[in-house]
Amino acid sequence: MAGYPLSSGKPSLIVRKLQPDNREMPLSFVDTDTIGNDLFYRRNHFPYPSLPQTIYWLPVNGLVHMPKIFTLDEILQLPSKTLKVVLECSGNKRHFFEPKVFGDQWEKGAIGQGYWKGVPLRSLLELAGGVQPGAKEVLIEGYDYGKQSNINQPVTFARSLPLSKALHPDTLIAYQYNNQPISFKHGYPLRLIVPQWYAVASVKWIKQITVIDYEFNGPFQAVDYVYYPDKETDAGAFPVTVLNVNSSIQKPLNREILNRGMHLIKGIAWTGAGTITKVEVSTDNGSNWYPAQIEAQNSNEKYAWTSWTYEWHAVKKGEYTLLVKAADSHNRKQPSIPFWNRKGYGYNAIDKVRVKVE
Amino acid sequence: MAGYPLSSGKPSLIVRKLQPDNREMPLSFVDTDTIGNDLFYRRNHFPYPSLPQTIYWLPVNGLVHMPKIFTLDEILQLPSKTLKVVLECSGNKRHFFEPKVFGDQWEKGAIGQGYWKGVPLRSLLELAGGVQPGAKEVLIEGYDYGKQSNINQPVTFARSLPLSKALHPDTLIAYQYNNQPISFKHGYPLRLIVPQWYAVASVKWIKQITVIDYEFNGPFQAVDYVYYPDKETDAGAFPVTVLNVNSSIQKPLNREILNRGMHLIKGIAWTGAGTITKVEVSTDNGSNWYPAQIEAQNSNEKYAWTSWTYEWHAVKKGEYTLLVKAADSHNRKQPSIPFWNRKGYGYNAIDKVRVKVE
């Protein structure tokens, strides 16, 4: 009767929708700093695409001096860089808005990170002769497409970047994730990686790159992924771009019952502007704040999240509200009250868990 | 470039805690009526136990006329029965109590069902000569044990049944689930199955059965798994036994955005007293109620849940509150407001999802 698995096993992704496939990471049960494919969140707008049966090639065209088609082999030969980048869905934490908003109810796990290796988009544009005067944006289309509500034609997933972001030397056409080819479900063979922006910009399964002289207004640029501060009208709308400064408590769990004694409060903090400079924890619902210990980051990890811990001595029985807030080097801070918007993007209020000490 | 998995894949259990292993079924993404081991919820109080290395035997002792040790082989030879039984954790839906309670935040998936095959506990007691006069309860101990908060000694998971329930011909010592040996994580080789009671009674990894002449008051009987209606005191406490009448909406999802047109509202309903006689749906937050279509059940499925559907024609744009409520043949009905209790057991308020039609 020996040989039974005594361990609890591994966590797995939490399904938010099956068609298309949308799942989040169980953040509280992940203790690695680099997320494997099995636990990397999935956010799809459409069914998984069929990739071409032929050798993969990537057209770079539009307003470049010498439009060019790159083979995957050519791209793999170019000088590359490897960056540790956090990708966060702009709907991450949508579940926590009050009043509640409609849409996939992401909790804290629509986020992941690891090492992306690839060629700067800038290099491909240069090899295509460079962008022509008058160019305004770079349009990236994926192989994924389908029916979008209220649009009759099938639409392709496509996003544009302003020239400045497209030409940033760390905006990558990535082909590896954590030293392996990018997994199919996360964008194989080529995925755009746009550090510091919400992950909607990091187009998967890249099909084509086009330099354009206008502002692209596809449905994932000008309808969705737009902050609408008003419940009924589109007044004050503006696009989802840079990651807000943010942090999450991983442990303890919300509504967990703890014994008296020392408990390690732990979590992550991240930002799209500069680096995390401060993480503070409160164990009394905000009356007092104490600095958390921040894990040192290497200089090549400036786009990654920061792990933090705080040793809490829970001396007295009772109910406690634990809070965490982060600040970044651009002096951005997490707000007490999130910026409510109709589609529920960019939630970054101070994170909170309630626990009971017995 | 062919051969990529285009499907979204299967759902998986949602981790609520890893140590010990506690995970729930993603109810909204399950469309089978019999739940396989991979999606059957796990509710453990302790680490998985080590089973004896020798041949498995089961002592039946205490107040029986001829205490006896059964081998597994002997048990497998006895006349058996197969019952489709729903098992529900009494903490199922704890997450939805208001005011919120502490403990594992089960949503709607701490429930599962399938075909359990085994020998009536009654038969084993008869083979042990029958219970002696003065017997009051039957105590069932599992192989799982460990440290329980506020108790210094390690405790074994153990529960008792009143004689009437222990001798009910459908209370089984089960050895198969869905035509296979019960999986290790769900109680291999022998699990008690107590139809119509919350699943805490269905002890896994049975180690020993003892007939006793007193009321057992172990921690999982007299401390936990007790309804405490008062927040501060133990006034009015009573034990968790029979399943409440209950129902859950599987589709649509809470906060889902739907197109105008026909939508199938679907879910399950179950009870621990008699059978489900009525399921009603409201699409206007309770102003009007309409009967759902109930799937016919075989007579040998009286302990199983009932699947139901309702065709909803969503004609107008807007926000809708969809409700479902079930009633059983003992005239029990789901309440609008759940019976709040400090440890959060037995939630069975009318189920609700909010959707937006565009």
Side-chain angles (χ1 to χ4, degrees), chain A residues 150-166:
Chain A
N150 306 325
I151 303 177
N152 283 326
Q153 304 275 10
V155 290
T156 288
F157 187 78
R159 289 274 308 183
S160 71
L161 289 175
L163 218 50
S164 58
K165 191 68 180 172

Side-chain angles (χ1 to χ4, degrees), chain A residues 120-138:
Chain A
L121 170 57
R122 181 188 186 99
S123 304
L124 297 195
L125 294 170
E126 282 166 2
L127 287 166
V131 302
Q132 294 184 20
K136 226 170 162 175
E137 296 188 337
V138 178

Side-chain angles (χ1 to χ4, degrees), chain B residues 180-286:
Chain B
Q180 297 293 324
I182 295 172
S183 77
F184 173 71
K185 290 192 174 172
H186 294 104
Y188 176 91
L190 297 176
R191 178 176 192 167
L192 190 68
I193 294 295
V194 185
Q196 299 188 319
W197 280 37
Y198 281 108
V200 64
S202 293
V203 178
K204 297 187 284 274
W205 310 291
I206 303 175
K207 182 183 185 179
Q208 179 166 220
I209 293 171
T210 313
V211 180
I212 59 178
D213 61 359
Y214 58 91
E215 280 187 25
F216 178 65
N217 68 351
F220 302 103
Q221 189 108 12
V223 181
D224 286 338
Y225 299 101
V226 172
Y227 294 104
Y228 298 101
D230 192 82
K231 186 175 193 305
E232 306 291 348
T233 77
D234 293 354
F238 63 101
V240 167
T241 56
V242 174
L243 294 173
N244 290 328
V245 61
N246 215 333
S247 63
S248 289
I249 297 172
Q250 294 178 281
K251 292 269 166 71
L253 305 174
N254 194 30
R255 295 284 157 184
E256 191 165 351
I257 299 169
L258 304 173
N259 293 325
R260 274 169 290 172
M262 205 288 282
H263 294 281
L264 198 67
I265 305 175
K266 61 170 282 192
I268 59 174
W270 66 99
T271 181
T275 53
I276 291 293
T277 49
K278 193 160 67 171
V279 177
E280 291 176 294
V281 169
S282 172
T283 58
D284 56 8
N285 200 19

Side-chain angles (χ1 to χ4, degrees), chain A residues 277-316:
Chain A
T277 49
K278 194 160 67 172
V279 177
E280 290 177 295
V281 169
S282 172
T283 58
D284 57 9
N285 200 19
S287 297
N288 295 282
W289 290 93
Y290 302 98
Q293 186 162 346
I294 295 180
E295 202 171 82
Q297 284 191 294
N298 297 329
S299 59
N300 72 336
E301 299 190 347
K302 61 184 171 179
Y303 302 134
W305 69 47
T306 299
S307 293
W308 56 264
T309 55
Y310 177 78
E311 276 194 11
W312 177 38
H313 296 271
V315 178
K316 281 176 63 179

